[in-house]
């Protein structure tokens, strides 16, 4: 299968994390999003968590009004988030599991175990024109359920692969990668657009970016960290370069 250009969605949550650490107004997530856009990002992702630990409601409003590239509104499938998403009508809504105690989104969404509720949950979002994405593991049941409920997109969770790679467990990372490839193939065959993300870095991005069915990667924490050393624009440009190289 021909490899189309991969889109890069930049997640700016952790600009807000740094801001909130001091209760100040800076660094400003909108400014980061505009810099990312200027550096070639194809979209901006922001996760409005129930506890508002990083992105806040006003950030989401400012991003929605201020950026010229698609906004991917990441949230848990709660009534409160549906109300906000239906008011803003962002380009995309990515549904993720959320636990209060977790440091980051730990696993994929259990779509297969919640088919009836999620079908009803996403119907008004779809009617409002949002591309609804399910953040899932590579498990065939979850991918098939995502197609069944009418989602347009699945985003495959690369966190486990990233952890194995970081720990030097190469054989296990390769097995996980093979499962991600298989999941991408299945999702594509079911008519889903396939995205991936979580824990991606310069060192581990290439084999993921090379998966032909993928259309988009969403990357946040590493890029915001790397921006301390390189600046946000150059950090994004380097990721873009590695993604493009992996697809040639
Ligand atoms: N995609 C989803 C659905 C996520 O929840 C996250 C983390 O917020 C990311 C991508 C980006 O992960 P990271 O910050 O580790 O790059």
């Amino acid at each position: 299968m021909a490899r189309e250009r991969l889109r890069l969605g930049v997640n700016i949550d952790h600009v807000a994390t740094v801001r909130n650490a001091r209760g100040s107004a800076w660094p400003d997530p909108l400014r980061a999003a505009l810099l990312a856009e200027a550096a070639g990002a194809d979209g901006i992702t922001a996760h409005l968590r129930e506890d508002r630990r990083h992105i806040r409601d006003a950030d989401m409003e400012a991003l929605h009004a201020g950026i010229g590239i698609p906004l991917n509104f990441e949230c848990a499938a709660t009534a409160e988030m549906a109300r906000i998403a239906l008011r803003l009508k962002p380009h995309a809504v990515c549904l993720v599991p959320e636990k209060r105690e977790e440091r980051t989104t730990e696993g994929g969404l259990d779509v297969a175990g919640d088919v009836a509720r999620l079908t009803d949950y996403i119907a008004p979002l779809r009617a409002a024109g949002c591309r609804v994405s399910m953040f899932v593991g590579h498990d065939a049941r979850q991918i098939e359920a995502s197609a069944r409920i009418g989602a347009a997109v699945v985003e495959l969770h690369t966190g486990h692969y990233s952890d194995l790679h970081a720990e030097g467990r190469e054989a296990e990372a390769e097995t996980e990668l093979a499962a991600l490839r298989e999941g991408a193939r299945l999702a594509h065959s079911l008519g889903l657009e396939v995205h991936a993300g979580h824990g991606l870095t310069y060192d581990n991005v290439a084999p993921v970016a090379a998966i032909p069915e993928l259309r988009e990667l969403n990357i946040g924490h590493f890029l915001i960290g790397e921006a301390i050393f390189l600046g946000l624009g150059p950090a994004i440009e380097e990721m873009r370069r590695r993604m493009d190289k992996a697809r040639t």
Side-chain angles (χ1 to χ4, degrees):
M1 160 175 197
R3 290 183 175 88
E4 291 173 76
R5 183 178 178 275
L6 252 193
R7 293 195 297 264
L8 171 59
V10 174
N11 179 317
I12 44 82
D13 291 349
H14 297 300
V15 177
T17 303
V18 175
R19 175 195 62 192
N20 297 355
R22 293 295 293 270
S24 61
W26 53 85
D28 174 15
L30 174 59
R31 186 175 169 200
L34 293 172
L35 260 175
E37 183 176 342
D42 299 292
I44 298 296
T45 296
H47 183 178
L48 187 64
R49 294 186 78 103
E50 185 198 5
D51 63 9
R52 310 300 200 268
R53 70 174 72 158
H54 37 58
I55 294 294
R56 297 172 177 156
D57 300 55
D59 294 321
M60 211 47 109
E61 304 265 354
L63 290 165
H64 185 252
I67 62 175
I69 50 180
L71 175 64
N72 181 24
F73 181 119
E74 192 183 316
C75 62
T78 64
E80 181 196 25
M81 292 301 152
R83 275 195 300 278
I84 298 170
L86 285 169
R87 187 165 47 75
L88 288 181
K89 298 187 180 60
H91 168 81
V93 176
C94 179
L95 297 179
V96 300
E98 219 174 86
K99 291 191 230 118
R100 268 196 178 242
E101 332 70 71
E102 70 190 356
R103 271 194 288 181
T104 181
T105 314
E106 282 168 356
L109 196 61
D110 181 14
V111 185
D114 204 7
V115 163
R117 189 184 77 89
L118 287 173
T119 304
D120 291 347
Y121 188 89
I122 72 170
L125 294 169
R126 295 172 62 197
C130 302
R131 283 182 75 70
V132 178
S133 170
M134 298 286 143
F135 188 49
V136 292
H138 46 61
D139 173 8
R141 278 177 61 245
Q142 301 299 346
I143 294 168
E144 283 160 4
S146 300
R148 221 175 320 128
I149 68 168
V153 180
V154 282
E155 179 167 331
L156 299 179
H157 197 317
T158 53
H160 187 44
Y161 156 74
S162 301
D163 289 345
L164 292 168
H165 189 275
E167 290 163 22
R169 294 158 67 182
E170 292 306 330
E172 290 161 273
E174 194 46 55
T175 304
E176 181 66 11
L177 206 46
L180 286 165
R181 285 191 197 104
E182 196 51 47
R185 259 196 301 275
L186 172 65
H188 181 75
S189 75
L190 295 171
L192 291 158
E193 184 171 306
V194 196
H195 300 177
H198 213 281
L200 296 175
T201 69
Y202 292 157
D203 283 345
N204 67 20
V205 75
V208 176
I211 299 174
E213 291 83 3
L214 285 184
R215 296 292 292 117
E216 179 173 311
L217 297 183
N218 283 301
I219 308 181
H221 184 259
F222 175 82
L223 285 176
I224 302 307
E226 200 61 15
I228 294 169
F229 306 106
L230 302 182
L232 186 57
I236 290 170
E237 285 158 12
E238 176 61 15
M239 187 61 83
R240 171 89 265 158
R241 197 185 63 72
R242 290 181 187 234
M243 286 164 55
D244 290 344
K245 184 160 174 248
R247 282 177 95 78
T248 54

